[in-house]
Amino acid sequence: MKVSHWLIPLALATAWPIQSLQAQTQEASTQAPKLVVSIVVDQMRADYLTRFEDLYTGGIQTLMSEGESFINAHYSHAPTYTGPGHATIYTGTDPRFHGIIANDWYDASLKRSVYCVEDDQVAPVGSSSDAHRRSPKNIRSTTWTDELEWATQGKAKVIAFSIKDRGAICAAGHYGDAAYWIDSDAGFVSSSHYMDDLPKWMMRFNRSHDPSSYMTGSWDRLLDVSHYDALAGPDQSDFERVPKGAKSATFPYDLKAMQSAYNGAFKSTPAGNTLLVDAALVAVKAEGLGQDDITDVLAISFSATDYLGHAMGPRSQEVMDMYLRLDLDLKHLFESLDLLVGKGNYLVTFTADHGASDNPMQAKADGFPAELWAPADLEAELRVLMHLALIDNDKVLNLSNDQIYLSSREKDLAVAVRNAILVHPAIAEAWTWEEIRLSPDPYAQLRRNGSDKRSGQVFYALKPGHLAYGPTGTTHGSGYHYDSHVPLIFMGKAFNPQAMHNERAYIRDMAPTLSKVIGIASPSACTGNPLWVSPANK
Ligand SMILES: [Zn+2]
């Protein structure tokens, strides 16, 4: 990390020397790996592991056969989005403490929506676009990667990659060396929070590995179509959206034509995953990750799975094929790390930031009682209900993230709003902010874990399988099983190969688990529990 960073957020730094000392006095962990490879697959439902299990031959197969699996791992917050999910993975706590309550949330004092990693105080690096003024300043906890930097006096190298800025920034945390994300024109970029200029190796990589250079030939199924018909259903479906730049939502895809029609097309194809692995491996070599006894971190958040998942839904041949190809990209990653870092010298964690729902119209066509609302229609209908309950429209500032922002914290107003919207047929339950603090209802607790002062004054949950979204593809955000249940696998010499745990585990447990294996303090606001017991204490 850069030395100057030690001086920047004083409010955070003043609390740290004590923790740093604690970390120093902890016994040196004999289990500490030379490199932690932290893999997050955006929108990967837990059933993508088991549904395609027989067809995985690469890195996912290795994780499933050589890793320690927690097959009932969940998020304990809602809404379940990319920003909150990644922040929870790295801080070991829920949004109510790390503060990333959504990707975007309404700020009543600014009278506008704010983005979770926006920061107009930093400059873009590698691009001149204001879209890359990004930093972790909104994250209210340290990450385990921050604690690793402190425990090693900044000697640990922490480098994070993603297509999405928030996918990389939550991993690199406040003190990591680098978070890199993608600009469709410029390639990998960063911000002045992390560096003044891109390193030479990254500039070279951007020149030689332009995203469009990955978009040649056609994308067709990896395996025979019969596998896809059996495990995903027919390729032609009314419930899939044509990916941006493509002509139809069916195989094969002309990648070059897609990319020339839309320069971000690569993000929704397997190329978006391959590009990240290629860049990550160049970083391992150029930065010498995993070459000494100080634990380094390589974090990769694969975003193409989310972009494609939103367009296609979980029952599409395209999503299935992307996972079969990600399996091969991960095989390449692990085989390369075996050579560069050494088998047994690196630890891999594998999870997702959230799952995804079935497409409600597809479920409905199968006879399941799901419903779909256009987001604008749902908001309009809820506003009508509030109006009919004589609630002054001026007092309703904003509806977002299944929350309603009101002009005051007045209890009677929140109760009136809650009662008014409860009659809507899409809504399963609604709570005032006071009620979610006290309710024993597990779904209210998910909302509580997902809230802080950045949240609204009334919360609601749609019925299971109900979405406010477009007619094709899918989304996520609820607290239901399909959004909360994600893969959780640890692979490395500290873990038991092939061990499989059925007990419920939480994604907030990942950070304290890694802190314990490495022998450092857990993140500052950590509320999770370690899932790992050191051999000496077994
Ligand atoms: Zn998403």
Side-chain angles (χ1 to χ4, degrees):
M1 68 168 299
K2 279 197 333 182
V3 173
S4 61
H5 282 162
W6 297 93
L7 303 172
I8 297 171
L10 281 174
L12 270 172
T14 47
W16 280 13
I18 300 161
Q19 286 179 346
S20 180
L21 272 177
Q22 282 171 346
Q24 300 293 303
T25 54
Q26 271 169 356
E27 67 197 285
S29 171
T30 54
Q31 304 291 334
K34 288 179 183 293
L35 178 68
V36 176
V37 182
S38 174
I39 299 172
V40 181
V41 185
D42 203 314
Q43 204 188 110
M44 184 171 185
R45 291 162 50 116
D47 68 309
Y48 293 165
L49 284 177
T50 45
R51 181 146 57 108
F52 312 135
E53 183 173 5
D54 292 345
L55 301 178
Y56 289 134
T57 58
I60 296 179
Q61 197 270 335
T62 303
L63 284 159
M64 291 181 80
S65 60
E66 295 180 23
E68 185 160 353
S69 297
F70 293 82
I71 64 171
N72 193 20
H74 291 262
Y75 281 95
S76 49
H77 64 248
T80 40
Y81 293 128
T82 293
H86 282 79
T88 292
I89 291 167
Y90 289 97
T91 62
T93 191
D94 297 312
R96 66 188 299 216
F97 295 119
H98 63 59
I100 305 300
I101 61 163
N103 291 335
D104 304 87
W105 59 83
Y106 180 73
D107 185 314
S109 64
L110 299 173
K111 295 193 173 60
R112 67 169 175 90
S113 180
V114 301
Y115 177 52
C116 58
V117 290
E118 71 171 46
D119 184 352
D120 60 11
Q121 300 300 302
V122 300
V125 168
S127 156
S128 54
S129 167
D130 284 343
H132 303 304
R133 295 182 184 275
R134 300 287 182 248
S135 88
K137 76 162 175 144
N138 284 326
I139 306 175
R140 291 179 168 147
S141 171
T142 64
T143 58
W144 70 264
T145 51
D146 287 333
E147 296 295 338
L148 175 63
E149 291 286 19
W150 265 100
T152 60
Q153 309 302 320
K155 292 195 188 85
K157 297 185 196 100
V158 173
I159 301 187
F161 292 91
S162 178
I163 291 181
K164 298 181 181 177
D165 45 20
R166 57 193 182 277
I169 287 171
C170 293
H174 300 86
Y175 290 88
D177 295 83
Y180 297 110
W181 58 94
I182 286 275
D183 176 283
S184 296
D185 296 316
F188 284 97
V189 298
S190 190
S191 86
S192 59
H193 177 85
Y194 295 103
M195 62 193 75
D196 298 326
D197 294 296
L198 292 178
K200 291 235 159 50
W201 62 264
M202 183 51 101
M203 292 184 193
R204 268 199 305 275
F205 183 88
N206 279 339
R207 282 195 296 272
S208 57
H209 293 72
D210 184 275
S212 62
S213 69
Y214 286 76
M215 295 291 278
T216 57
S218 83
W219 172 26
D220 206 345
R221 297 172 198 84
L222 185 67
L223 304 176
D224 189 80
V225 64
S226 59
H227 294 291
Y228 300 80
D229 288 339
L231 293 173
D235 187 19
Q236 176 66 52
S237 156
D238 293 341
F239 310 106
E240 296 176 5
R241 189 161 69 237
V242 178
K244 277 194 201 168
K247 292 216 157 53
S248 75
T250 48
F251 284 115
Y253 290 88
D254 182 337
L255 294 176
K256 194 162 186 184
M258 277 176 78
Q259 186 68 20
S260 10
Y262 168 55
N263 75 342
F266 69 95
K267 294 179 185 176
S268 307
T269 73
N273 295 330
T274 309
L275 173 64
L276 287 177
V277 169
D278 287 350
L281 284 171
V282 171
V284 171
K285 283 180 246 179
E287 301 281 356
L289 297 184
Q291 299 304 312
D292 58 27
D293 288 336
I294 294 171
T295 301
D296 295 327
V297 181
L298 173 68
I300 310 176
S301 173
F302 292 100
S303 319
T305 43
D306 184 69
Y307 290 116
L308 185 72
H310 277 293
M312 298 284 165
R315 291 195 254 166
S316 63
Q317 297 200 354
E318 288 84 351
V319 165
M320 174 174 165
D321 194 68
M322 182 177 275
Y323 279 93
L324 297 181
R325 290 173 188 276
L326 177 64
D327 177 53
L328 300 182
D329 282 327
L330 293 178
K331 178 188 164 94
H332 174 54
L333 176 68
F334 297 156
E335 283 176 354
S336 304
L337 291 173
D338 286 348
L339 292 173
L340 295 167
V341 181
K343 209 173 165 68
N345 288 334
Y346 62 96
L347 184 168
V348 182
T349 67
F350 186 81
T351 191
D353 53 348
H354 53 73
S357 168
D358 257 330
N359 176 289
M361 292 296 97
Q362 190 170 22
K364 201 175 176 179
D366 290 344
F368 182 80
E371 290 293 345
L372 176 76
W373 266 265
D377 290 351
L378 181 63
E379 173 166 344
E381 290 173 22
L382 295 180
R383 283 189 180 272
V384 167
L385 289 172
M386 290 185 269
H387 182 70
L388 290 174
L390 306 178
I391 294 156
D392 184 354
N393 207 24
D394 291 348
K395 293 184 175 170
V396 182
L397 303 179
N398 176 270
L399 283 78
S400 53
N401 301 311
D402 297 347
Q403 296 167 24
I404 301 179
Y405 289 77
L406 303 172
S407 59
S408 81
R409 289 194 161 246
E410 188 199 330
K411 202 170 164 185
D412 292 350
L413 176 63
V415 169
V417 167
R418 180 256 275 147
N419 289 346
I421 64 169
L422 256 179
V423 302
H424 192 281
I427 289 188
E429 188 54 270
W431 308 269
T432 66
W433 189 77
E434 279 284 303
E435 284 166 345
I436 66 154
R437 283 175 57 209
L438 304 168
S439 174
D441 170 7
Y443 288 98
Q445 288 172 17
L446 293 174
R447 298 284 149 184
R448 186 179 68 204
N449 290 343
S451 77
D452 84 351
K453 284 186 176 172
R454 289 167 173 161
S455 303
Q457 286 71 51
V458 173
F459 297 72
Y460 58 86
L462 300 189
K463 291 172 181 169
H466 286 49
L467 290 187
Y469 197 63
T472 51
T474 191
T475 194
H476 47 86
S478 80
Y480 296 115
H481 189 276
Y482 47 80
D483 283 337
S484 71
H485 187 205
V486 291
L488 178 56
I489 303 177
F490 297 90
M491 182 175 78
K493 67 178 181 196
F495 292 90
N496 303 306
Q498 292 181 317
M500 196 179 275
H501 304 270
N502 292 303
E503 314 83 69
R504 201 173 180 93
Y506 293 102
I507 298 306
R508 59 168 183 251
D509 298 335
M510 287 182 76
T513 301
L514 286 167
S515 294
K516 201 166 174 193
V517 172
I518 301 169
I520 57 173
S522 288
S524 58
C526 180
T527 54
N529 297 303
L531 298 169
W532 181 83
V533 180
S534 65
N537 297 327
K538 268 192 177 148

